[in-house]
């Protein structure tokens, strides 16, 4: 198998190839944006994950290049587990480091961690969420991204496999995964970031009043909101793409700001 990444900059009307092939031998892959704007791909493999990073030379033109892939289990402190190969999710959240109060980004990666033959034939059991704090100023390479992850919450202690996650309106993380009985029953569980990280981090949120006050001040001062707000998304999972006058374009729909005032927001401010 070979992984490629396609992107659209006109909301799905046309699609383009991001660089060339990015993972040789990869399988089911997930992508995420790192704090500095580079793109990470995490791809299924046995014993760990294939990791590669795309760095833009011209983000407006979508040009740049992929680095050289690494296997996470070969990197110091990298995600390493039993000899299963399975789908998993990679997901970035804005967080507070509870010991210091520092605002930061935390990357999450879910995957089964079982060994073949321990209590399943293929090692698809013990779905677990790993985590790593990300530094906004760091230009990550595949190796530096793959190193020094922490094993977090073991969500399932039985046969379990594919998983995905997203932010809920209440600020918890919706975790959706396959589990026994019947091999692949679908299970939903809401998790706090504290549960996932053993109280090391909490999800960073701002209430809607604070957000709209800052949003309005930003508009008056700059006329171009997106230069001050690098990334804004509702904790309902609505991903805000851009602003135009009093409207927000998100998930292929326009929303007037007044319609969103009851939402809480997770905000990443440049």
């Amino acid at each position: 198998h070979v992984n490629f990444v396609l992107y659209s900059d006109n909301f799905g009307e046309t699609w383009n190839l991001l660089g060339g092939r990015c993972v040789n031998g990869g399988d089911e892959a997930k992508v995420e944006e790192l704090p500095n704007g580079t793109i990470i791909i995490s791809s299924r493999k046995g014993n760990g994950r294939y990791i590669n990073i795309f760095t833009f030379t011209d983000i407006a033109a979508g040009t740049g290049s992929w680095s050289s892939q690494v296997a996470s289990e070969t990197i110091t402190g990298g995600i390493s587990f039993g000899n299963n190969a399975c789908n998993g999710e990679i997901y970035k959240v804005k967080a507070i480091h509870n010991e210091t109060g520092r605002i930061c980004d935390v990357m999450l990666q879910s995957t089964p961690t079982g060994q073949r033959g321990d209590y399943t034939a293929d090692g698809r059991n013990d779905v677990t969420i790993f985590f790593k704090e990300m530094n906004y100023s760091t230009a990550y390479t595949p190796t530096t991204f793959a190193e020094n992850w922490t094993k977090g919450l073991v969500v399932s202690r039985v046969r379990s496999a594919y998983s995905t996650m997203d932010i809920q309106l209440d600020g918890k993380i919706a975790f959706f995964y396959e589990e026994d009985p019947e091999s692949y029953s679908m299970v939903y569980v809401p998790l706090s970031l504290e549960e996932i990280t053993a109280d090391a981090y909490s999800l960073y949120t701002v209430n809607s009043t604070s957000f709209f006050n800052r949003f309005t001040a930003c508009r008056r001062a700059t006329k171009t909101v997106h230069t001050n707000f690098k990334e804004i998304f509702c904790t309902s999972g609505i991903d805000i793409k851009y602003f135009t006058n009093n409207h927000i374009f998100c998930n292929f729909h326009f929303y007037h700001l007044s319609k969103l005032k009851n939402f809480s927001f997770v905000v990443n401010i440049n």
Side-chain angles (χ1 to χ4, degrees):
H1 299 95
V2 177
N3 291 139
F4 294 87
V5 173
L6 300 175
Y7 74 93
S8 174
D9 57 9
N10 56 13
F11 305 102
E13 292 184 11
T14 59
W15 292 85
N16 305 284
L17 183 65
L18 187 65
R21 67 172 64 193
C22 49
V23 177
N24 291 313
D27 199 337
E28 296 156 323
K30 303 293 177 68
V31 294
E32 180 60 280
E33 183 182 8
L34 296 183
N36 67 352
T38 55
I39 304 299
I40 174 75
I41 184 169
S42 173
S43 184
R44 164 181 167 171
K45 72 176 299 292
N47 303 98
R49 305 287 295 180
Y50 282 126
I51 300 295
N52 206 350
I53 289 178
F54 184 88
T55 301
F56 290 97
T57 53
D58 184 341
I59 195 167
T63 56
S65 61
W66 290 98
S67 186
S68 298
Q69 70 188 62
V70 300
S72 65
E73 75 276 11
T74 67
I75 306 300
T76 302
I79 293 175
S80 178
F81 46 80
N83 50 1
N84 75 80
C86 195
N87 177 286
E89 182 67 87
I90 190 164
Y91 192 68
K92 183 184 69 178
V93 296
K94 181 64 65 177
I96 298 173
H97 184 260
N98 288 330
E99 184 176 348
T100 64
R102 183 182 68 254
I103 299 173
C104 58
D105 289 299
V106 172
M107 196 70 74
L108 306 174
Q109 172 74 63
S110 61
T111 183
T113 56
Q115 290 279 359
R116 292 179 185 173
D118 49 10
Y119 53 95
T120 60
D122 57 7
R124 289 187 171 188
N125 49 269
D126 294 1
V127 163
T128 298
I129 304 176
F130 294 81
F131 65 93
K132 177 177 178 174
E133 182 177 327
M134 310 303 295
N135 189 316
Y136 183 82
S137 61
T138 298
Y140 287 96
T141 66
T143 297
T144 57
F145 178 86
E147 66 188 8
N148 299 326
W149 284 70
T150 300
K151 185 177 181 179
L153 179 68
V154 181
V155 181
S156 173
R157 291 286 186 181
V158 298
R159 178 171 173 79
S160 45
Y162 287 25
S163 58
T164 188
M165 64 186 99
D166 205 348
I167 296 289
Q168 296 183 167
L169 180 61
D170 63 2
K172 289 196 172 183
I173 294 171
F175 194 69
F176 194 53
Y177 66 103
E178 299 172 326
E179 185 185 75
D180 269 347
E182 305 301 329
S183 293
Y184 295 132
S185 298
M186 301 310 302
V187 179
Y188 155 77
V189 58
L191 300 171
S192 68
L193 194 57
E194 292 90 340
E195 290 176 283
I196 294 171
T197 64
D199 291 321
Y201 298 91
S202 299
L203 195 69
Y204 175 65
T205 62
V206 294
N207 64 41
S208 57
T209 301
S210 171
F211 168 79
F212 278 95
N213 287 344
R214 298 172 77 175
F215 173 80
T216 302
C218 171
R219 282 184 52 201
R220 284 200 301 264
T222 67
K223 305 297 185 183
T224 53
V225 173
H226 63 274
T227 62
N228 287 61
F229 289 84
K230 180 176 181 292
E231 173 188 309
I232 305 173
F233 56 94
C234 301
T235 55
S236 63
I238 297 176
D239 187 9
I240 296 178
K241 304 300 183 184
Y242 67 84
F243 298 85
T244 173
N245 296 323
N246 287 323
H247 290 76
I248 294 175
F249 187 86
C250 43
N251 289 7
F252 305 102
H253 296 284
F254 279 101
Y255 295 85
H256 194 277
L257 290 179
S258 63
K259 303 298 184 183
L260 297 178
K261 288 187 178 179
N262 292 326
F263 285 93
S264 61
F265 287 81
V266 179
V267 181
N268 178 9
I269 301 173
N270 246 348

